[in-house]
Amino acid sequence: MKILIVSGFLGAGKTTFIKELIKHTRENIVVMENEMGDTTLDSQAISSAGGAEVYDFMEGCVCCNMKDSFATSLLAVENTLSPDYVVVEPTGAAMLGNIIENVRKICYERISLLPSIAIVTPHSFAANMTEFGGVLTDQISNAETIVFSKLDRADAAETADVADKIRRMNRSAKIISEPYGTLSDEWWHSLLSDEKRDGNRGFTAGRHSEFDELEELSYRRIYFRSEADLIIFANDALYGRLGDVVRIKGVVRAGTEWMSVNLADSVYEISGAPEGVDVSQCVIIGKKLDKSAVERHFVVIPELKPRTGYGLKDF
């Protein structure tokens, strides 16, 4: 069993990248998701794409307080499912160096660690380095491949400048600065290869110094009275009226429609939800979050017994 860790800061696009990896390689892959908050949004996104089994680790981080149970779970997956590959998607707050150090302890002839990947968004690189430089530096320094995401938001000069800064942080990493969606199947398969460019390279374990103040608010069964109310909620988050919001991801009911809401890198996007969604989930991550201001935007629908005879229209 080969283990591939795909790290990246909050909102960098790790889940989207993993979906593409599964689509291009079509290998026997198990995905282990570590999400901030009590949601299963990323695992649902991967499951809906097909081609991989997904397991969740919630309400904890696999690089620190859940590292022992995470290592045990990897061994259990190898013993029970025996997949060819396990792709690990840690939370954006995770220190890659810590995860690598932890996984190395369980590597033996049947379990090996593939060269790790860090997803980086050039457009938000400077802002994230200013506020969360410790964790971003850890992810970049310990990755063996750096993949740029959301390149439509950065011009060529900005992308080249970020690539230059990353080369100074990690001289041995390979930097993919072109849209990964255009790359060949051969490139995607190379990510699942045992080849290591620097087999003797050391890894640096880090601490969550910048994330000591990060909070998260998780909600299920929430209802926005209209799509306009959902837009106002996202707009208030973007402009600091709910606290210093770093990330929002959710699938919620707004009026009569199911909608997806995502906020990352100072941009929010609202779109139609995937088919089959029937329960709202939403997580808000940031600093000094104003819980009362957040909850003014929606109502929480209680668990209803079958005989109550009322539903969404009554809220």
Side-chain angles (χ1 to χ4, degrees):
M1 183 177 82
K2 300 175 182 179
I3 301 171
L4 174 66
I5 305 169
V6 179
S7 69
F9 190 66
L10 295 164
K14 299 183 293 296
T15 301
T16 301
F17 180 84
I18 291 171
K19 287 167 64 177
E20 288 293 308
L21 174 69
I22 293 167
K23 181 178 77 173
H24 283 275
T25 60
R26 302 184 184 277
E27 296 285 358
N28 176 21
I29 293 174
V30 167
V31 180
M32 300 187 75
E33 282 282 347
N34 181 209
E35 302 195 49
M36 287 189 73
D38 184 19
T39 68
T40 57
L41 292 161
D42 289 343
S43 60
Q44 285 184 358
I46 293 173
S47 295
S48 66
E53 294 190 63
V54 186
Y55 294 88
D56 289 298
F57 284 82
M58 297 184 294
E59 298 293 346
C61 180
V62 297
C63 88
C64 51
N65 62 322
M66 289 184 70
K67 64 180 182 180
D68 292 335
S69 60
F70 171 62
T72 301
S73 296
L74 282 172
L75 291 171
V77 166
E78 197 278 329
N79 288 324
T80 57
L81 301 177
S82 298
D84 296 327
Y85 303 96
V86 170
V87 176
V88 177
E89 181 185 351
T91 172
M95 294 291 193
L96 177 57
N98 288 356
I99 300 173
I100 291 172
E101 184 180 55
N102 193 29
V103 172
R104 277 181 160 181
K105 295 175 182 177
I106 62 168
C107 288
Y108 66 113
E109 65 271 14
R110 288 171 55 188
I111 299 179
S112 61
L113 181 62
L114 292 167
S116 300
I117 296 169
I119 310 296
V120 174
T121 306
H123 181 65
S124 59
F125 177 81
N128 289 338
M129 282 296 294
T130 298
E131 192 165 6
F132 302 106
V135 70
L136 197 56
T137 298
D138 174 272
Q139 292 175 357
I140 290 170
S141 299
N142 287 306
E144 293 175 75
T145 301
I146 312 292
V147 178
F148 284 177
S149 64
K150 304 180 184 179
L151 286 169
D152 57 319
R153 299 180 185 174
D155 58 30
E158 185 176 32
T159 301
D161 180 64
V162 172
D164 184 60
K165 288 182 170 65
I166 287 176
R167 285 191 187 95
R168 292 198 291 268
M169 298 166 66
N170 185 341
R171 295 187 180 279
S172 64
K174 183 175 182 180
I175 300 174
I176 307 301
S177 57
E178 57 190 296
Y180 60 73
T182 66
L183 299 177
S184 67
D185 287 352
E186 287 74 18
W187 179 80
W188 290 97
H189 279 283
S190 74
L191 301 178
L192 302 179
S193 154
D194 278 323
E195 180 183 356
K196 290 181 179 294
R197 284 177 293 281
D198 187 357
N200 297 319
R201 182 178 166 201
F203 295 89
T204 305
R207 296 186 305 109
H208 276 172
S209 55
E210 292 90 352
F211 286 86
D212 292 342
E213 300 177 13
L214 264 186
E215 312 164 46
E216 56 88 11
L217 298 173
S218 295
Y219 297 95
R220 289 176 179 265
R221 299 180 61 81
I222 63 174
Y223 173 59
F224 292 82
R225 296 182 185 278
S226 68
E227 293 179 37
D229 285 346
L230 178 58
I231 293 170
I232 292 169
F233 164 72
N235 203 60
D236 282 356
L238 183 65
Y239 289 100
R241 301 185 188 104
L242 309 181
D244 183 8
V245 177
V246 177
R247 181 81 167 103
I248 293 176
K249 56 183 174 181
V251 177
V252 299
R253 188 69 178 255
T256 60
E257 301 294 330
W258 286 100
M259 308 294 293
S260 293
V261 55
N262 282 282
L263 183 151
D265 304 327
S266 301
V267 176
Y268 71 79
E269 179 182 1
I270 295 173
S271 59
E275 292 185 9
V277 174
D278 58 3
V279 176
S280 294
Q281 297 186 68
C282 187
V283 61
I284 301 102
I285 303 168
K287 296 181 180 180
K288 299 179 181 178
L289 298 179
D290 187 336
K291 188 171 185 286
S292 61
V294 168
E295 295 178 355
R296 280 198 294 268
H297 288 275
F298 52 76
V299 294
V300 178
I301 303 173
E303 294 286 347
L304 304 179
K305 295 181 180 179
R307 296 181 181 177
T308 54
Y310 57 92
L312 284 172
K313 63 183 177 61
D314 297 290
F315 291 90

